[in-house]
Amino acid sequence: MTLRRALAGLTTRGRSFVAAGTTAIVCAFVLGERDLLRAGVLVLVLPLLSTLAVSRTRYRLACARRLDPARLPAGHESRVDLRLENVSRLPSGLLMVEDQVPFSLGGRARFVLGRIEPQGSRELSYRIRSDARGRYRVGPLTVRLADPFGMVELVRSFSLADTLTVTPAVVALPPGRLSGAWAGGGDSPARTVATAGEDDIAPREYRHGDDLRRVHWRSTARYGELMVRREEQHWQSSGTLFLDTRRTGYWGEGPASAFEQAVSAAASIGTHLSRTGMGLRLVTDEGEALPRSARVEGAFEATLLEALATARPSRCRSLTAGLAALGGPGAQGRDGDGLVVAVFGVLRAEDARAVAAARRGNATYVAVLVGARPGPGTPDAGAHTDTGTDTGMDADASAGTGGAGAVPDTGANAAGLLRAAGWRVLVVGSAAELPGAWAAAGQAGGDFARGAS
């Protein structure tokens, strides 16, 4: 460390001593006062000697940090553990330690440490919390070296930093899952058993490498060539989670805004369905965001929460790209995905018509309208689960404008169009209302698979 850099680290007290000493020396020469000269030299030398001592410091420090946990839901606390070790042969002096923490996590964490013996260490801890989801950088750690007189303060910074991921708040949904089509990647025994019975399962021709123990001799005699039984198909339930992220569809700001409630609702639904064993993919208004993951327990749930932690309102004006992705290459089976759960904000008339037309086949389609309260005389959220035939729609009534201060649409018009097209509709004001509406959906439709896991 150069002396010039050390001089730049003089504190206000150190600079004042230098100024006072220099002034005293000049006055001593002008007035011819030898005693004043001695006092001036003493005042000037003290900060210079402190600077020299600090600049020649040779001890080395090592730092380690651990976040517990490194990923947590919004509104929860994480513990940060720091370990500072003196790996040199000399004891350290007074250390002022500061860990750089974003203001939204609680501000900076500051500590004062006394002497750390050679090869010794000190452990520090503090807690951080955020009500807003996202990824936050924690660190790096800075150490301020100071002399005993407070004349000099030098800053040394470590390069190590960690990332804290704050995921959306997840609310627990009632046990069970909405049933949908079952999809798989092989031969289907269900249809052949229904028509021919287990003793006469529709076979296929023999292929090189097939196990001879699977030869179906009755069919071989019937067709005059070697036939084998079809492979047993392992079926899995598939579905799509759709999230409308358009800025114009939501109103309000902050953790209580409609957009944050929609993200929380999507995270809750995705987590719930994933834990029941359903293979899911995530689609937004911009297209497919997460493909269907491998059948590894917790894989999609973790990926989904990571993706939703950084979800931001988009500038898209329409749902065209997202709705096209519902029937794109990621969909399985002739009727697309077995279950489609879509989370929307305020739907304009043309958007509601496009969403209604996106339904195809006999799959189960569920629309969750977040932040669009039912209007006067409209049944509550739990009642918005039927598949009625209300087709009334005012073309301008649901034109949401988004942003703070916008007046949310009642949601009754969009809900009527979607129900008429065969969608199941849940209207909730916030994610906290989702469990009750989700339970009512199963009771109203009669296809809630109780006890499924």
Side-chain angles (χ1 to χ4, degrees):
M1 183 184 299
T2 63
L3 185 60
R4 178 179 298 179
R5 181 181 175 185
L7 288 172
L10 285 171
T11 62
T12 302
R13 180 185 299 177
R15 295 177 186 275
S16 299
F17 268 64
V18 172
T22 303
T23 302
I25 292 174
V26 172
C27 293
F29 279 108
V30 173
L31 301 177
E33 294 288 340
R34 299 176 63 89
D35 293 336
L36 182 59
L37 178 62
R38 295 189 186 96
V41 170
L42 177 62
V43 172
L44 179 62
V45 167
L46 182 59
L48 296 180
L49 290 178
S50 299
T51 301
L52 182 63
V54 173
S55 65
R56 298 178 70 85
T57 300
R58 290 293 182 266
Y59 55 84
R60 295 177 299 163
L61 301 174
C63 170
R65 181 189 299 101
R66 183 171 66 92
L67 302 179
D68 184 24
R71 188 185 71 189
L72 73 163
H76 290 67
E77 287 188 346
S78 178
R79 178 187 172 115
V80 182
D81 295 317
L82 291 169
R83 180 181 176 87
L84 197 63
E85 185 176 0
N86 182 10
V87 296
S88 65
R89 298 181 179 180
L90 298 175
S92 71
L94 181 67
L95 301 177
M96 289 176 285
V97 180
E98 179 178 332
D99 208 13
Q100 304 293 327
V101 179
F103 179 77
S104 56
L105 295 182
R108 298 175 179 176
R110 298 178 178 179
F111 306 90
V112 177
L113 299 179
R115 177 178 179 271
I116 302 181
E117 64 277 4
Q119 307 302 320
S121 63
R122 296 290 184 272
E123 294 184 353
L124 309 169
S125 66
Y126 63 94
R127 293 186 176 275
I128 53 180
R129 170 194 171 104
S130 176
D131 293 326
R133 56 186 177 77
R135 285 195 179 96
Y136 300 91
R137 177 184 172 93
V138 180
L141 183 73
T142 59
V143 178
R144 299 179 183 271
L145 309 176
D147 69 294
F149 302 103
M151 300 289 181
V152 183
E153 184 179 279
L154 300 180
V155 179
R156 293 179 179 177
S157 179
F158 294 90
S159 59
L160 176 66
D162 292 274
T163 300
L164 176 70
T165 303
V166 181
T167 61
V170 175
V171 295
L173 300 183
R177 66 184 179 195
L178 290 170
S179 65
W182 291 80
D187 300 318
S188 172
R191 297 172 183 170
T192 56
V193 170
T195 58
E198 292 186 2
D199 293 335
D200 193 23
I201 295 178
R204 60 170 175 83
E205 66 278 4
Y206 174 83
R207 298 170 189 168
H208 180 71
D210 284 340
D211 190 349
L212 292 177
R213 291 175 297 181
R214 294 175 46 227
V215 173
H216 193 259
W217 297 109
R218 182 183 299 179
S219 298
T220 300
R222 177 184 304 173
Y223 295 104
E225 59 178 326
L226 201 59
M227 307 292 289
V228 297
R229 297 178 183 271
R230 294 181 183 271
E231 297 177 356
E232 180 183 356
Q233 172 61 34
H234 300 283
W235 297 94
Q236 71 177 50
S237 184
S238 65
T240 292
L241 178 63
F242 185 96
L243 175 61
D244 181 9
T245 64
R246 296 174 303 158
R247 186 185 305 273
T248 57
Y250 300 95
W251 52 276
E253 295 181 352
S257 66
F259 179 75
E260 293 299 324
Q261 297 302 315
V263 173
S264 179
S268 302
I269 295 171
T271 299
H272 173 75
L273 295 178
S274 177
R275 290 176 180 176
T276 64
M278 180 174 289
L280 291 173
R281 63 187 180 118
L282 175 65
V283 177
T284 69
D285 51 284
E286 297 179 330
E288 187 174 72
L290 292 177
R292 188 170 284 104
S293 59
R295 302 275 298 170
V296 178
E297 183 177 358
F300 182 81
E301 177 183 344
T303 306
L304 174 67
L305 293 178
E306 287 281 348
L308 293 181
T310 56
R312 294 292 180 265
S314 71
R315 298 183 180 274
C316 290
R317 305 290 297 182
S318 71
L319 295 170
T320 303
L323 296 179
L326 286 181
Q332 290 187 356
R334 296 182 306 171
D335 296 332
D337 287 300
L339 173 66
V340 175
V341 181
V343 180
F344 299 103
V346 176
L347 286 177
R348 297 173 299 178
E350 57 271 26
D351 293 334
R353 295 189 185 96
V355 173
R359 186 182 184 278
R360 63 194 187 96
N362 296 321
T364 302
Y365 282 69
V366 181
V368 181
L369 305 183
V370 180
R373 290 280 190 176
T378 306
D380 58 12
H384 283 253
T385 58
D386 61 290
T387 57
T389 59
D390 181 12
T391 58
M393 184 65 162
D394 182 359
D396 299 324
S398 59
T401 57
V407 179
D409 183 79
T410 64
N413 296 322
L417 259 185
L418 296 180
R419 289 199 302 271
W423 284 73
R424 293 179 144 188
V425 182
L426 312 181
V427 182
V428 295
S430 65
E433 301 175 8
L434 184 60
W438 189 265
Q443 295 172 359
D447 64 348
F448 209 82
R450 295 288 183 184
S453 60

